[in-house]
Amino acid sequence: MKLSVDKASALAGIAAVAASAMLVTTVPAFAGTGRPVPTTDAAASVVENATGTTNLTTPRTGEGNLIADVAGTRVEMPATSSGKIAVTDPEGTRVAIGLPGSAAASASATANGTVMYTQPDGPVDIAAQVGRDGSASALITLKNASAPTEYRFPLDLPSGAHAALLEEGGVVVGDSAGEVVGLFGTPWAKDANGKPVPTTYRLEGNTLIQTIQTDKSTAYPVVADPKWWDKTKEIAGGMVSDTWNSMKCGAALAAAFAPGKAAFKVIKNAGGVKKVLATLASVDTKKGAMAALGSGGSTLFGIKSIKKACYDGLK
């Protein structure tokens, strides 16, 4: 296999998320009760200017929630921001993402598809978006310097699944067999001038926590975005055009990198997920990978999920 610039660049930004700016207009939509409610134009514009709108899907109302069926995935957004975004893939695997909101903040949708949970008297607004690729985003708008800088997203995961932090900053969810369920891309935040604001994830059990590092130079409002892809999207396939998908490989390694799993000791001894990924990226053949990783290569090759994601693209 011929190495490409795509492979090298992917190592530096696994699960990176691209965003573009675009002006928007909004219209009244439905809250969880099914009744029309006014949309806060200014709040929606802040979010959509930060994310763009060309890739969004407009949800429909159903059973008290807002629902989008796209790319084989169903995304359900709650009637209020005290609920959870539920993502169900075509195989029936369900992941739910709690929102850091108030029960008083009801859902309303813009013409472009952004679901807003505005809190006019509070320092934070919450929003949700569904992409045409089936991705689901929970967006936080820090309206001023009084807004908290830490936000908690409780995760409901399939039985036996666990979340793991990727060295590049994203979070992967793996099932009990080490197969990838999906991942949150590398976190991002930007201020009112479009300037990146430092932000990181950490995990406390099955709670994803995003910290946004504002300072005196930060221009408000600030928008931040945990974004979820399920495994049916090939872990954002297409962002890496090489036949060997380093994004997918890195996620598979991280999903299996849990104490007690066969891959844990091998990956740890090899220097971690990032080191193994770099080693695999430096070779063209399965034989070369085995030689580079030594006995650890044989162990990893025997793990179905890692073999499929990391080795099957090699000659």
Side-chain angles (χ1 to χ4, degrees):
M1 181 187 72
K2 184 178 179 181
L3 294 177
S4 67
V5 174
D6 291 318
K7 181 187 291 187
S9 62
L11 294 172
I14 288 176
V17 179
S20 59
M22 184 171 284
L23 295 175
V24 302
T25 58
T26 60
V27 298
F30 293 98
T33 60
R35 295 192 299 271
V37 298
T39 299
T40 305
D41 290 355
S45 293
V46 167
V47 173
E48 293 180 348
N49 284 341
T51 65
T53 60
T54 56
N55 188 45
L56 299 185
T57 294
T58 302
R60 59 182 172 82
T61 56
E63 300 180 359
N65 293 333
L66 293 105
I67 300 171
D69 292 297
V70 59
T73 293
R74 167 164 289 197
V75 181
E76 301 171 73
M77 289 161 285
T80 72
S81 59
S82 64
K84 295 182 178 181
I85 300 173
V87 184
T88 306
D89 72 18
E91 298 176 6
T93 302
R94 181 181 183 275
V95 170
I97 305 157
L99 299 174
S102 163
S106 297
S108 63
T110 73
N112 296 307
T114 301
V115 176
M116 295 298 305
Y117 303 91
T118 55
Q119 302 180 70
D121 298 326
V124 178
D125 286 329
I126 305 298
Q129 293 177 337
V130 179
R132 293 177 185 173
D133 55 3
S135 59
S137 295
L139 298 119
I140 316 156
T141 300
L142 286 64
K143 292 188 277 187
N144 53 54
S146 70
T149 56
E150 185 173 284
Y151 296 87
R152 303 175 71 88
F153 300 85
L155 306 178
D156 288 347
L157 304 179
S159 178
H162 67 280
L165 190 65
L166 291 165
E167 293 182 62
E168 291 73 16
V171 170
V172 65
V173 174
D175 65 16
S176 57
E179 294 279 359
V180 175
V181 174
L183 63 78
F184 290 94
T186 305
W188 63 263
K190 61 176 69 173
D191 72 6
N193 297 325
K195 179 183 175 182
V197 178
T199 182
T200 56
Y201 290 147
R202 76 176 191 272
L203 290 165
E204 289 183 3
N206 284 342
T207 297
L208 176 71
I209 302 167
Q210 183 168 11
T211 300
I212 303 158
Q213 300 172 31
T214 57
D215 59 28
K216 292 181 180 179
S217 69
T218 302
Y220 290 89
V222 172
V223 177
D225 173 27
K227 188 168 187 174
W228 170 260
W229 279 283
D230 68 40
K231 63 183 178 182
T232 64
K233 308 306 172 299
E234 294 294 326
I235 312 302
M239 293 178 70
V240 181
S241 62
D242 199 280
T243 55
W244 185 86
N245 190 327
S246 64
M247 184 178 293
K248 188 174 181 181
C249 178
L253 289 166
F257 190 52
K261 301 298 181 184
F264 180 79
K265 187 174 181 180
V266 172
I267 296 172
K268 184 177 181 180
N269 289 344
V273 171
K274 190 173 183 180
K275 181 67 174 178
V276 174
L277 192 62
T279 300
L280 291 171
S282 68
V283 298
D284 294 330
T285 66
K286 292 184 178 76
K287 184 177 180 180
M290 293 293 194
L293 292 171
S295 61
S298 297
T299 300
L300 295 181
F301 189 84
I303 299 171
K304 182 180 177 181
S305 60
I306 294 176
K307 177 183 178 298
K308 182 179 178 181
C310 300
Y311 287 91
D312 284 358
L314 300 177
K315 296 176 183 177

